[in-house]
Amino acid sequence: MSTKPELKGRAARLAQLFPTGPGQAARTPFVLLVVLLLGGGLIGLLVLNSALSEGAFKLDDLQRETKSLTDEEQALQRDIDAYSAPEALQRRARELGMVPGGDPAFLAPDGTVKGFPSPAPGVRQTFAHIPLVLAPEAMPNGPTSTSGR
């Protein structure tokens, strides 16, 4: 006599889906697969964590360098502002021997002069009519020949 009751109908069809033999599937390949997947996942996380840490260090270095360059830019901008201040320009111009100009005259597009020019104060009037750069023909000794022809 069999110890299993005989199944009928729907139960018999469901019973056909389950294996009836005493053989079980080997568990070793499944366990090995699970261990390999877990080990691979841990190694992947370790590599990812290392890459993120390296990126964080690079980011920190770049932020530090950016701050340093920004400070240097601001210092240079302060120097430029100090040199271009009106008082500094006036002081440097006086050191170079420059004096404030007189009243200017303007030329209209048709060539007429508008305004009344006046010489700069502080310029000796005796030399005001002599140009600073003379043409060779206006030199007191006349043009000199530098070629041997």
Side-chain angles (χ1 to χ4, degrees), residues 90 93-94 97-105 116-123 125:
Q90 182 181 15
R94 290 202 187 278
M98 300 173 96
V99 295
D103 294 330
F116 300 100
S118 65
V123 176
Q125 298 299 324

Side-chain angles (χ1 to χ4, degrees), residues 134-145:
L134 298 175
E137 299 82 29
M139 297 282 283
N141 298 336
T144 57
S145 174

